[in-house]
Amino acid sequence: MKTLYKAKWILPGNGVVLENHALLVENGVILDVISPGGLNINDCEVVDFGNAVITSGFINLHTHLQYTNIREKKFKNIVNKLKRLVLYFKKFLIGVKPKSFVSWILDLMIEYICLTDREKQESFEQGLKQALLSGTTCIAQLSSEEMYFETLNNSPVKSYIFFEVFAASEETSDKYFELFRQKYERLKQKCSKSTFLGISPHSVYNVHSKLWEKISEYSRKNNVLIHTHFAESREEIQWIKTGVSEVNKIHEFAGVDQLKPTKTKLNPVSYLKNLNLPYKNLILAHINQLEPKDYPELAGLGTAVAHCPRSNMILHNRTLDVKAAIKAFQHRIGIGTDSLCSNYDLNILNEARFVSDAGVEPLTVLDMLTINPAKILRLDHIIGSIEKDKQADFLVFNLQENETCTDFINKQKPDSVYISGTCAGL
Ligand SMILES: [Zn+2]
């Protein structure tokens, strides 16, 4: 059965505004976008949203949903409670600067390690629910563990799972790459039509150059997307420049060799270029420590950016110059919430409003939530805009009489979320 979804406004993407059009959907796919003259269609159910705006479903380009419940600290397991005390004591002995980025990372590591598998799973599912509530119909999820794969693979929410890897030496680079490769190739056989896999070397300061080499080779050969944190903290920039900074305390805490930069005295972009990566397969989260003058050189490499504005402000009090970044990266920039450990919530609309408050037009922000990340994740043949033959992933925002189509950005959440033509129960 075909269904015709009518609304006063449709924002299909790429800056287009359609008035009094409708979507014709069958079997979860958009059959057509119908103009006002062609709305008399027989044999179809009609859903009229009236004074409302329809947008494509949102894509969260950078998050770690497994950390959602960490701040609640509901530890029930007594062994893990003791483990937690021991780990905090170890952190104290190492002498990490209080309230620093490294202190935040170590707290996150400790709290997460001390969750039981069941608590981790609950935390993840809670995050997925919160993301969906704000209209997120596709997520780029970063975690090292395999345990969330089944949840995402069975969820209507589309997902790009980037498996996180770390290595501090040549030996562990071989070992951890091999573990990743086996996991990736095994799970790839099990992926549904809406689950996709990539790799996430955590950062330049937590990944040995040998592992970067192996990832690059594999990515080039198999066209695998790479997602990494880059130029996020002052400590990272200092490490790139001198090889010595507070990030060495992370290595000390983890009990691994102190990672050294492959070359010192380089600025972050030159350092990244020196790694000789397949840049067109690379997504960089954050880059908030770079100067706008660095953006064109980085964009020229073909890299994409996951902009996480509120997380950047909360942790580093510094976010990127979003207008300059849009100018440099054009369609190669999307928006992410990062995890709830560095944000107030997982609501991508709140993130979007932050970008719009920085002076970016709402229709450009909409592209950063939809078609841009779809292109970055190479999923724009199925999602990212309201177009014929794409999946019917769309959001409906009811409008007040005095509101217009771009007021979707001022809403707390959509009134309805459709994924593959089915209304998600919110
Ligand atoms: Zn992150």
Side-chain angles (χ1 to χ4, degrees):
M1 181 71 174
K2 295 173 191 168
T3 309
L4 190 71
Y5 295 97
K6 295 162 84 173
K8 182 163 184 203
W9 303 103
I10 297 177
L11 301 178
N14 297 307
V16 177
V17 177
L18 301 175
E19 193 171 355
N20 294 322
H21 281 56
L23 305 183
L24 188 63
V25 173
E26 188 179 34
N27 296 328
V29 176
I30 299 170
L31 289 185
D32 212 348
V33 182
I34 316 277
S35 61
L39 293 177
N40 286 329
I41 298 169
N42 295 324
D43 300 332
C44 74
E45 190 188 339
V46 177
V47 178
D48 190 349
F49 295 112
N51 189 22
V53 54
I54 294 177
T55 71
S56 200
F58 297 154
I59 302 169
N60 186 339
L61 194 55
H62 183 89
T63 190
H64 313 256
L65 297 181
Q66 69 275 27
Y67 300 144
T68 302
N69 284 353
I70 278 186
R71 285 196 304 204
E72 292 180 20
K73 292 190 175 66
K74 283 183 186 164
F75 301 104
K76 296 180 188 98
N77 184 302
I78 186 77
V79 177
N80 285 356
K81 273 185 182 172
L82 288 169
K83 190 168 153 190
R84 184 166 170 261
L85 276 177
V86 171
L87 289 171
Y88 271 112
F89 186 62
K90 185 176 178 186
K91 181 190 162 195
F92 169 77
L93 288 181
I94 287 171
V96 179
K97 274 189 201 156
K99 293 186 182 169
S100 64
F101 174 61
V102 170
S103 177
W104 174 84
I105 284 202
L106 293 184
D107 287 356
L108 175 61
M109 279 169 69
I110 295 170
E111 300 291 343
Y112 187 66
I113 290 167
C114 295
L115 291 178
T116 61
D117 278 357
R118 193 175 166 173
E119 286 166 336
K120 285 179 183 175
Q121 188 65 34
E122 281 170 9
S123 181
F124 182 84
E125 285 171 15
Q126 181 60 26
L128 192 58
K129 209 161 129 187
Q130 288 184 27
L132 184 59
L133 269 175
S134 68
T136 306
T137 56
C138 177
I139 57 159
Q141 153 70 16
L142 284 75
S143 55
S144 58
E145 294 135 310
E146 187 179 324
M147 61 188 284
Y148 309 115
F149 173 82
E150 285 300 330
T151 309
L152 287 174
N153 206 34
N154 293 321
S155 166
V157 174
K158 294 174 177 64
S159 54
Y160 217 113
I161 308 170
F162 291 91
F163 288 117
E164 277 192 315
V165 288
F166 306 78
S169 65
E170 292 213 1
E171 299 74 56
T172 52
S173 293
D174 285 333
K175 183 182 160 195
Y176 294 137
F177 177 76
E178 194 48 29
L179 285 172
F180 158 76
R181 193 190 60 76
Q182 287 173 12
K183 178 164 62 178
Y184 176 86
E185 290 177 6
R186 179 167 38 82
L187 293 179
K188 209 159 165 45
Q189 309 296 323
K190 292 171 77 181
C191 282
S192 73
K193 279 184 187 160
S194 56
T195 310
F196 306 87
L197 304 180
I199 186 165
S200 173
H202 177 267
S203 55
V204 289
Y205 58 90
N206 272 334
V207 174
H208 192 273
S209 57
K210 178 83 186 288
L211 183 52
W212 280 109
E213 265 173 43
K214 292 185 96 66
I215 292 168
S216 297
E217 193 191 339
Y218 193 73
S219 167
R220 280 193 182 98
K221 203 170 158 198
N222 301 289
N223 219 11
V224 177
L225 286 182
I226 307 170
H227 196 144
T228 190
H229 301 86
F230 185 66
E232 182 186 6
S233 67
R234 281 177 281 271
E235 292 85 342
E236 178 186 349
I237 303 299
Q238 200 195 332
W239 180 88
I240 289 172
K241 209 168 162 188
T242 67
V244 182
S245 92
E246 187 84 351
V247 299
N248 296 124
K249 301 261 163 103
I250 301 173
H251 312 139
E252 200 178 336
F253 182 83
V256 296
D257 296 345
Q258 293 235 328
L259 260 161
K260 294 283 172 215
T262 48
K263 213 171 175 185
T264 52
K265 295 179 187 156
L266 293 180
N267 70 43
V269 178
S270 301
Y271 188 80
L272 199 71
K273 282 171 85 173
N274 200 46
L275 286 176
N276 191 23
L277 308 174
Y279 299 101
K280 292 194 168 92
N281 291 352
L282 184 65
I283 304 167
L284 301 172
H286 306 301
I287 71 160
N288 48 302
Q289 298 296 336
L290 299 185
E291 299 297 334
K293 67 175 171 51
D294 300 323
Y295 302 162
E297 190 182 0
L298 193 54
L301 295 173
T303 58
V305 172
H307 175 37
C308 304
R310 291 189 300 158
S311 168
N312 292 161
M313 288 309 291
I314 290 166
L315 286 184
H316 310 283
N317 198 27
R318 179 186 165 116
T319 188
L320 54 75
D321 180 334
V322 70
K323 282 173 131 180
I326 291 168
K327 197 172 165 204
F329 291 94
Q330 311 244 327
H331 297 293
R332 303 278 293 156
I333 181 166
I335 299 175
T337 57
D338 216 331
S339 85
L340 194 56
C341 285
S342 62
N343 213 333
Y344 305 111
D345 52 61
L346 294 171
N347 188 328
I348 195 87
L349 266 168
N350 288 338
E351 224 64 56
R353 211 153 34 245
F354 194 100
V355 176
S356 133
D357 288 347
V360 181
E361 293 294 324
L363 291 182
T364 305
V365 180
L366 181 62
D367 283 352
M368 292 170 78
L369 294 171
T370 54
I371 190 65
N372 292 7
K375 283 180 179 165
I376 292 167
L377 296 171
R378 298 175 183 159
L379 302 179
D380 54 312
H381 58 297
I382 51 167
I383 56 169
S385 61
I386 294 177
E387 278 179 86
K388 190 174 178 310
D389 297 333
K390 286 201 183 184
Q391 290 280 302
D393 290 6
F394 62 91
L395 312 175
V396 184
F397 297 86
N398 294 334
L399 298 172
Q400 303 293 322
E401 255 178 50
N402 59 346
E403 289 178 324
T404 186
C405 57
T406 50
D407 280 307
F408 75 88
I409 207 158
N410 298 317
K411 305 287 179 181
Q412 257 313 300
K413 62 182 190 68
D415 293 281
S416 305
V417 177
Y418 284 78
I419 303 183
S420 303
T422 302
C423 189
L426 299 179

